[in-house]
Amino acid sequence: MSAGREVLVMTPRLPFLLDQLRRDFLVHAYWEMDDPAAVLRAEGRDVRAVVTNGVVGCPREVVEALPNLGVICVGGVGLDAVDVTHAHQLGVQVTTTPGVLTADVADQAMALLLAASRQVPLGDRYIRQGGWGRGEDLPLTRRVSGKRAGIVGLGEIGKAIARRLSAFDMSVAYTGRREQPGQPYRFVADVVELAREVDVLVVSSSGGEGTRHLINAGVLEALGPQGILINIARGSVVDQEALIASLRSGSLGAAGLDVFADEPQVPAELKALDNVVLSPHAATRTTESRQDISRIVLANLKAFFAGEPLLTPVTDRPLSG
């Protein structure tokens, strides 16, 4: 493959994409580099594109080590690990894969809500460990249908979650940076007030410093001992220590978590609790979403190297809800 078609891939967690990339481009695997800075100093001049995902992103020092970089292709929609403004200042375009993850993430939010409310993992263990056969008591669970739900961040994923919640006859309210005209859901400006008014709080906001620990001890206290927190956004949005304390004390009823503060490390305190359902950042881990991500990333790369307009360029840092 010619030097003009060299691509730096930041993570191996792109299984449907790697084989195709290696067929069409000269791939440099960042995660295999013992000394990435040294390798990029020696070989980075010929790299024209970076492929990554929303979690790993592309650090500023990597962008600056690639003098001929022209595009960063993000497999996903999260941009908190990519400094879009910095990239644009250096003349580097950024693309994402909008729309393809929305349904899967919204489905995962509902799966976590149902699992946490109906204590599905506890029931599974009850059977596997023989509790049912021995006639042991199993705690009663709580109904989902008809409850009050709040959404933190009414972006495309937040709207998809709201539609699913509505199908369960739940009333839906939301909070975000601003009220969105034309939405059928009630806007509540303050997240603490929203938490106080609902039975279920679903976090679907963007990550980054602007939302760090947005869900803090005060929000969890307002949600209350019968409340359920669902997080399919970023681990940084929730104060994880406050969450553990709330779940331990019973001041929060339950939680369903797909994301954590220091992935893949999950605190032993969370693992030990029966009132939390844990998922390994798996909301987008479906065959369909990975195939769609691969298709869009490859299309953007091919357009870039052909000198054609990109399919899904990021023109500015998007706001979520």
Side-chain angles (χ1 to χ4, degrees):
M1 197 65 62
S2 68
R5 291 175 64 85
E6 296 192 26
V7 175
L8 175 66
V9 181
M10 297 297 297
T11 172
R13 296 183 182 277
L14 299 162
F16 290 92
L17 186 55
L18 269 174
D19 287 345
Q20 185 65 49
L21 287 172
R22 285 176 169 142
R23 282 194 293 269
D24 293 347
F25 305 96
L26 176 58
V27 168
H28 300 268
Y30 186 82
W31 67 94
E32 294 178 350
M33 298 176 182
D34 293 331
D35 185 348
V39 173
L40 295 181
R41 278 196 302 272
E43 304 177 10
R45 183 165 296 278
D46 292 325
V47 172
R48 301 288 318 288
V50 167
V51 174
T52 186
N53 64 16
V55 176
V56 175
C58 187
R60 288 174 62 120
E61 60 267 24
V62 172
V63 176
E64 292 171 353
L66 306 174
N68 294 309
L69 181 65
V71 67
I72 300 170
C73 295
V74 179
V77 294
L79 286 169
D80 40 296
V82 176
D83 189 334
V84 176
T85 300
H86 177 247
H88 285 169
Q89 288 171 346
L90 296 178
V92 178
Q93 301 180 83
V94 179
T95 72
T96 59
T97 57
V100 301
L101 306 179
T102 301
D104 288 337
V105 177
D107 288 351
Q108 184 77 347
M110 295 305 299
L112 288 170
L113 172 56
L114 290 165
S117 183
R118 300 304 300 269
Q119 298 186 24
V120 174
L122 183 62
D124 181 86
R125 292 196 300 274
Y126 175 71
I127 292 175
R128 293 177 188 274
Q129 296 172 4
W132 197 14
R134 293 189 295 268
E136 296 176 2
D137 286 338
L138 188 66
L140 294 176
T141 65
R142 294 185 63 82
R143 180 182 298 160
V144 171
S145 299
K147 293 295 194 295
R148 302 165 301 169
I151 299 176
V152 181
L154 198 71
E156 289 307 308
I157 290 172
K159 291 182 179 72
I161 293 169
R163 293 192 295 271
R164 286 158 174 76
L165 295 170
S166 297
F168 276 75
D169 297 323
M170 301 179 78
S171 63
V172 178
Y174 73 97
T175 192
R177 292 183 174 91
R178 61 191 180 279
E179 184 173 3
Q180 299 188 31
Q183 293 301 319
Y185 317 112
R186 186 168 57 89
F187 176 71
V188 180
D190 182 66
V191 65
V192 174
E193 183 61 29
L194 178 64
R196 187 174 292 117
E197 295 180 5
V198 301
D199 305 298
V200 176
L201 191 67
V202 183
V203 184
S204 63
S205 64
S206 58
E209 285 304 312
T211 58
R212 180 173 177 78
H213 290 184
L214 175 64
I215 308 303
N216 55 28
V219 175
L220 299 172
E221 182 180 3
L223 189 53
Q226 301 300 326
I228 298 175
L229 179 77
I230 304 298
N231 188 10
I232 46 76
R234 286 287 187 264
S236 61
V237 182
V238 175
D239 182 339
Q240 190 164 272
E241 293 304 314
L243 175 62
I244 291 170
S246 298
L247 289 167
R248 271 179 161 176
S249 69
S251 61
L252 177 69
L257 308 174
D258 191 53
V259 289
F260 304 88
D262 184 25
E263 298 175 4
Q265 306 306 316
V266 177
E269 295 92 336
L270 276 177
K271 295 177 185 178
L273 293 169
D274 280 335
N275 57 344
V276 59
V277 178
L278 308 174
S279 171
H281 205 142
T284 65
R285 291 181 60 81
T286 68
T287 299
E288 293 87 351
S289 71
R290 297 308 168 90
Q291 290 173 334
D292 288 342
I293 286 172
S294 299
R295 172 178 52 80
I296 296 173
V297 168
L298 285 168
N300 275 310
L301 282 174
K302 289 176 180 178
F304 169 74
F305 282 110
E308 299 171 354
L310 302 177
L311 276 71
T312 56
V314 175
T315 56
D316 200 355
R317 177 70 184 262
L319 300 177
S320 177

